[in-house]
Amino acid sequence: MSDNRETEGAAGLAGGAIQVKDTRTGAEAEIPIEHGAIRAAALLGIRSGPEDEGIVSYDPAFKNTANCISRITYIDGDRGILRYRGYPIEELAGNTSYLDIAWLLIHGELPTSAESAAWAAEVGAELGVPDPLPRILDGFNPDGHPMAMFIALLAGLGALHPESKQVTDPATRAAHVRRLIAAAPTLAAMTYRRGKGLDPVAPRADLSFPANFLNMVFGGEGSGYEVHPALEQAMDVLFVLHADHEQNCSTSAMRGVGSSHADPYSSAAAASAALYGPLHGGANEAVLRMLDEIGTRRNVPAFMDEVRSGKRRLMGFGHRVYKSYDPRARIIKKTAYEVFEVTGKNPKIDIALALEQAALEEDYFIQRRLYPNVDFYSGIIYEAMGFPVGLFPVLFAVPRMSGWAVQWNEMLEDREQKIARPKQLYLGQPKRPVPTA
Ligand code: ACO
């Protein structure tokens, strides 16, 4: 199925249709198949009588509903394939910078070296954020969760860039896609600094995108901090791996909120809020807390007993789409050892490896096709690099900003899209009178 969808692409499958018979009325209908899909609206024509509004497809949590046509990211969950604009993630990670990936997501092609340099300069010019934001940040307690601060600052940018509301104007959209990508690391670093009671560090456009981010987090005047090239490279790889992942929970939030023509900063704040949850991007934080709790390899069997009995989830395992090894997890696992060369080994990797081994041999996981996802090993790297655990979801949001922004733009360019508004099946009380006293 996914093979066909992929190879046939926009040209569509060779056509075909499904024939349905409504056993209530005996009526028959033919519903065309396009790109391996049927249009849900075609079901509206199947009615039991004149009063009937037609058949609705019921799909809690959108397990089998395509909400859009997209040309950005391709995933084949059975085969563990992830591609941005057709390029395999394994070939992009380590060979292409995150900023070039952002360009690729936006334009559909990798930049030439001249385009790459011009794009880096354009993003570099937008790294700073308007003055009121540090003052807003000061209003938070240092022990507040960095993701909550990030979401608030991001939404605050909407108030500071009211012109971004012109979402039907392509030039305005392009400007704010760029600004979102550029502002994300600056806001993220500010939340870290607030947590430590430190002043923000000004962005530096003379550094690479990941090096500037590391410097805004750990550097600053008098810190003596120098970005290590291996950590700069690892950060870039992590950014590349997290850049987009098609219609996940947070991207759907970005598209859904954006479909009401809210400004892109409000939509990105909503997407970040969706990412924050432990079942999505907050899983990287949850994995580290779980590893802390397990403490040592010896406790792995007891922990796995709890998972098997349904008391616990093995965080960082399982995925709605991947029913095989998440290709990003494989790359991250390798990157972890490159980071340890510089930082020293994070001993939690041994617990994680023991959990993975136990899970991959365990019937519970085999039957449910549960494998490590992107969040299983990323937190171990982040911790080795010196990031606090609460910052992990924010580290995910920084590069995902490019995916969100590009998906948002694609949604607004798509003439078939309208304000997102699912239906419900109402099974509540029928009309009844309010009781009188
Ligand atoms: N540990 C133990 N059991 C699990 C796990 C897990 N991590 N994930 C799924 N299962 C089990 C479920 O209990 C269920 O079992 P059942 O059939 O006996 O009821 C079965 O596997 C199917 O799970 P669902 O929850 O129905 O799968 P869904 O597609 O809705 O959920 C999700 C996917 C949310 C990622 C889930 O696997 C999970 O909670 N994983 C842990 C959290 C996590 O790592 N999230 C990050 C995902 S990657 C990302 O979003 C960036």
Side-chain angles (χ1 to χ4, degrees):
M1 178 83 124
S2 38
D3 261 342
N4 285 342
R5 280 210 187 94
E6 179 192 9
T7 50
E8 299 280 338
L13 292 174
I18 53 171
Q19 285 186 321
V20 289
K21 181 170 179 179
D22 186 344
T23 58
R24 298 170 303 177
T25 61
E28 292 190 1
E30 191 169 277
I31 302 179
I33 302 171
E34 270 179 281
H35 313 301
I38 58 161
R39 287 193 174 254
L43 300 173
L44 291 172
I46 303 172
R47 299 165 188 236
S48 59
E51 299 293 301
D52 189 348
E53 290 177 5
I55 297 277
V56 168
S57 65
Y58 174 59
D59 187 15
F62 310 115
K63 286 192 195 138
N64 192 33
T65 294
N67 172 47
C68 62
I69 289 173
S70 183
R71 295 180 171 80
I72 302 169
T73 292
Y74 175 77
I75 302 175
D76 181 328
D78 285 330
R79 293 189 293 164
I81 290 173
L82 168 61
R83 298 182 196 138
Y84 297 154
R85 300 282 192 183
Y87 295 118
I89 193 68
E90 294 81 1
E91 291 178 36
L92 293 172
N95 297 317
T96 314
S97 73
Y98 165 69
L99 268 195
D100 284 356
I101 295 291
W103 173 282
L104 170 69
L105 295 177
I106 295 169
H107 298 284
E109 297 297 337
L110 284 163
T112 62
S113 49
E115 285 167 339
S116 173
W119 167 238
E122 280 174 34
V123 172
E126 304 264 17
L127 291 169
V129 292
D131 264 350
L133 281 194
R135 281 189 271 126
I136 296 173
L137 187 71
D138 281 346
F140 293 112
N141 292 333
D143 64 355
H145 198 287
M147 194 63 167
M149 295 187 207
F150 182 78
I151 292 165
L153 294 180
L154 199 47
L157 274 182
L160 299 166
H161 296 298
E163 75 288 359
S164 67
K165 287 192 168 75
Q166 305 304 320
V167 299
T168 54
D169 174 42
T172 302
R173 286 205 304 272
H176 293 284
V177 164
R178 187 176 62 235
R179 187 165 281 157
L180 275 166
I181 292 168
T186 311
L187 300 184
M190 285 165 67
T191 68
Y192 168 87
R193 306 282 299 183
R194 181 68 194 136
K196 298 278 174 201
L198 299 166
D199 288 334
V201 174
R204 279 181 47 191
D206 59 310
L207 298 175
S208 74
F209 193 84
N212 168 58
F213 175 59
L214 289 169
N215 190 60
M216 285 192 296
V217 172
F218 300 117
E221 236 179 277
S223 68
Y225 179 75
E226 291 275 342
V227 180
H228 192 291
L231 300 187
E232 175 183 355
Q233 168 68 6
M235 200 76 244
D236 213 20
V237 168
L238 288 161
F239 282 174
V240 168
L241 296 177
H242 287 87
D244 192 46
H245 212 236
E246 54 115 311
Q247 310 311 317
N248 51 75
C249 179
S250 56
T251 302
S252 299
M254 181 85 192
R255 280 180 174 259
V257 174
S259 76
S260 75
H261 290 192
D263 73 78
Y265 301 97
S266 301
S267 302
S272 304
L275 187 76
Y276 190 0
L279 298 188
H280 190 15
N284 55 15
E285 177 180 354
V287 168
L288 248 283
R289 298 199 190 283
M290 173 186 80
L291 295 175
D292 272 337
E293 193 192 321
I294 295 172
T296 136
R297 288 168 65 108
R298 272 199 313 281
N299 296 334
V300 166
F303 180 83
M304 292 304 267
D305 284 346
E306 291 200 317
V307 174
R308 229 184 344 262
S309 65
K311 283 196 204 121
R312 303 287 301 261
R313 281 202 165 198
L314 177 54
M315 300 312 284
F317 258 69
H319 199 273
R320 171 62 62 76
V321 181
Y322 291 120
K323 299 302 170 198
S324 62
Y325 214 101
D326 180 335
R328 301 167 300 175
R330 220 184 281 285
I331 300 168
I332 290 180
K333 198 169 160 185
K334 186 171 149 275
T335 307
Y337 288 97
E338 288 157 18
V339 168
F340 297 160
E341 292 282 313
V342 179
T343 61
K345 183 169 138 185
N346 182 344
K348 286 181 189 137
I349 188 94
D350 292 333
I351 306 171
L353 288 169
L355 281 168
E356 180 187 332
Q357 196 189 351
L360 295 181
E361 290 167 0
E362 168 74 55
D363 269 356
Y364 176 95
F365 289 85
I366 295 167
Q367 277 161 14
R368 290 169 179 78
R369 303 175 73 195
L370 303 170
Y371 293 87
N373 61 49
V374 68
D375 292 314
F376 194 63
Y377 287 105
S378 59
I380 294 174
I381 304 186
Y382 295 146
E383 191 175 66
M385 289 171 89
F387 294 110
V389 71
L391 202 74
F392 296 179
V394 182
L395 296 170
F396 194 147
V398 169
R400 181 54 58 85
M401 197 60 74
S402 57
W404 290 334
V406 173
Q407 296 268 356
W408 166 79
N409 191 53
E410 184 178 61
M411 180 269 302
L412 288 165
E413 277 176 353
D414 182 346
R415 301 183 68 151
E416 278 204 296
Q417 290 293 336
K418 291 182 178 293
I419 185 166
R421 203 327 184 166
K423 289 194 165 183
Q424 65 167 9
L425 298 182
Y426 179 71
L427 299 181
Q429 296 283 357
K431 184 178 175 193
R432 54 182 176 156
V434 175
T436 47

